[in-house]
Amino acid sequence: MSRHLQKTDPGYKVYLYIFYVCAFVMLSIMAYGTWAMLTEWQQKGTYVMGEVLVTTHIPFPHFAKLITWLFFACIIGWYCVSRIGWKKAVRLHSWRMSLLQLMLLGFAIINLYEVLYNFTVLNALISAGTVNGHVPDIDRLTIAYPDGARPWNLIFATKIFLVGFLISAHAFYLSTRPRKSLDELET
């Protein structure tokens, strides 16, 4: 049985510092992505959502894409938050917890749909390109949805919605587990 982490536990600070690192990585990638998107918008009058995160490799070519670092930082950061922030959830009772659970379930369902949709479109475009005799550059495949002037990169969309699904599904799972009172947990 897993024990709830207390502020006095040595592992608490480890989770806290790892969360700070993840938050820094997420904010840095978001700032760079926003800057690149605005620059592309000014130069071309359009942009592809997330393409710069899929085509930029860090720390050297062919190692890891920014979207992969963002994916990793979001998942690890969420896990750290779920370990160190459990007391906030214990304080939610009755109707607030019910609303939170419904919201989390809704987010999980919407994100799962988007993952399946984007992955299906991605696979269809790869198959269509392969049938026509050439394998497309999957890092550049886009979908002009919801707005044709601002398409989404399919790798970006699939990964970002997968992160949303994993986090909201895990949060929903945690919210449905039996909870103890704060007094019982601090002893």
Side-chain angles (χ1 to χ4, degrees), residues 141-156:
L141 293 177
T142 63
I143 183 165
Y145 172 80
D147 182 4
R150 291 174 280 284
W152 282 56
N153 179 286
L154 282 168
I155 299 291
F156 169 78

Side-chain angles (χ1 to χ4, degrees), residues 34-48 52:
T34 302
W35 171 81
M37 184 182 68
L38 291 173
T39 301
E40 185 178 358
W41 178 263
Q42 289 174 345
Q43 292 173 353
K44 299 179 182 176
T46 185
Y47 62 86
V48 176
V52 70

